Amino acid sequence: MISIQDVFNHLHTHAEISWEEYETTNYIKKLLESEGVQQVRTFPDIPGLVAEIGSGKPVVAVRADMDALWQEVDGEFKANHSCGHDAHMTITIGTLLSLKDQPLHGTVRFLFQPAEEKGNGALTFVSQGLVDDVDYLYGMHLRPAEELTCGEFSPVIKHGAARFIFGEINGDDAHGARPHLNSNAINVATELNNHICGIGINPMVPHSIKMTQLMAGGKNANIIPGNAKFSVDLRAQTNEGMEALDLQLRKACNTLANFYDVEINLSIGADVAASVTNDDATEKMSEGIIAAAGKEKLKEPIVTTGGDDFHFYTIKRPHLKATMLGIGCDLKPGLHHPDMTFDFDVIPKSVEVMTQTVLNTLNP
């Protein structure tokens, strides 16, 4: 059997961004088939794969996200696993290999899902019917050091909603000597950013909204740009809070478009819903943590404004009983930091936790 360390090393050093995870797909497929897993399915038009062991009901699914982030690392833009998806895949592969030769009273389905960072990979898997017959769904995510100490586990992650909106300001350029002939898109964007900074909703709901990209102008310094592009990152702990933030943003854009006589068009680039948690699944994950790591390593639910498209599975298929395992691993300086590191020694214990959770679910 291949070592878990070798699996992680390969996945970590062969990172691929969203919707381009084809070599990762091929690597996992060949690995599982070489280990005797007979039911491995890929797709003709998208990356990702599904592996299955056992048979009959109940059907328990374990999901791993596959994609890396595109970011600057030591002066070079590259695909980089700074969100821990390489670890998630490794834990899921380890869980599969630890279960494949055990007697199973049901089916275990392993979902290696692309494009979590784009927020639409889970929706694509839902549309493929991959969870229509699933009873329990388990996911996982490494947690920063300030949330869990190394070796601690949480049975549920209560993610908030996240929405990434892309906008365009459309007007006319003007000569630098004639500013009265147009509306400067930089001024419009600046004022929009001031409006965004003033947006607020119910303070009992954790939330944030901020402009994250702004591009205007070209190579000539004597042209007043009439056009600009921008992006806005919205976060809210509830789906209702997200809709309230979105409404305020659109009101601000409409007001400024009318005042400056320009068009401001918005489109949603990604939309990740807040978590819908299930007490039954959370209890089974708690039992798995206690059995594999001990009661002292079981911690309270993690509440975070970070998002994950995992929760679209339960929103689109409400019958699913689902939860995400929070993994304490001395992760520093933080998720999405280009130099993110964590303690690899937590991975084998995480495999034990997930394995025990699946077995407890199949054999209540």
Side-chain angles (χ1 to χ4, degrees), residues 182-195:
N182 83 332
S183 292
N184 188 333
I186 295 174
N187 291 341
V188 178
T190 300
E191 190 161 345
L192 175 59
N193 190 49
N194 289 335
H195 277 263

Side-chain angles (χ1 to χ4, degrees), residues 57 81 98 106 132 146 151 153 213 229 231 240 242 280 324 331 355 363:
K57 298 286 284 182
H81 273 304
S98 69
D132 288 355
E146 61 266 24
F153 297 92
Q213 291 178 327
K229 294 182 178 180
S231 65
E240 295 78 11
M242 175 58 67
D280 188 3
M324 295 188 78
L331 189 154
T355 298
N363 307 292

Side-chain angles (χ1 to χ4, degrees), residues 108-294:
V108 189
R109 185 173 300 156
F110 297 87
L111 309 176
F112 294 90
Q113 177 212 300
E116 186 279 326
E117 297 294 350
K118 290 291 187 181
N120 51 14
L123 289 170
T124 301
F125 264 27
V126 169
S127 70
Q128 297 277 345
L130 300 180
V131 295
D132 288 355
D133 61 342
V134 171
D135 299 291
Y136 289 86
L137 174 65
Y138 298 121
M140 70 208 76
H141 210 297
L142 305 185
R143 303 316 304 164
E146 61 266 24
E147 291 184 359
L148 291 173
T149 62
C150 195
E152 293 180 340
F153 297 92
S154 171
V156 59
I157 304 173
K158 297 184 177 182
H159 280 110
R163 184 171 294 172
F164 314 130
I165 293 182
F166 294 93
E168 292 186 358
I169 300 168
N170 297 319
D172 298 314
D173 289 351
H175 193 285
R178 298 173 178 83
H180 62 291
L181 295 181
N182 83 332
S183 292
N184 188 333
I186 295 174
N187 291 341
V188 178
T190 300
E191 190 161 345
L192 175 59
N193 190 49
N194 289 335
H195 277 263
I196 288 172
C197 290
I199 290 175
I201 61 171
N202 184 345
M204 299 303 293
V205 178
H207 64 277
S208 70
I209 178 170
K210 57 277 182 190
M211 191 177 287
T212 53
Q213 291 178 327
L214 177 59
M215 295 160 283
K219 294 183 178 181
N220 295 97
N222 62 344
I223 295 177
I224 303 171
N227 302 300
K229 294 182 178 180
F230 62 91
S231 65
V232 184
D233 178 295
L234 296 80
R235 308 275 171 163
Q237 198 59 50
T238 66
N239 294 315
E240 295 78 11
M242 175 58 67
E243 296 310 319
L245 287 178
D246 188 284
L247 178 61
Q248 293 298 317
L249 172 63
R250 294 178 187 276
K251 284 182 177 180
C253 289
N254 290 337
T255 297
L256 293 173
N258 290 330
F259 183 80
Y260 284 104
D261 195 23
V262 296
E263 290 185 357
I264 302 180
N265 300 312
L266 303 178
S267 62
I268 297 177
D271 189 16
V272 179
S275 61
V276 177
T277 59
N278 178 267
D279 291 341
D280 188 3
T282 301
E283 180 61 28
K284 286 183 167 50
M285 186 68 77
S286 297
E287 293 170 357
I289 294 170
I290 293 171

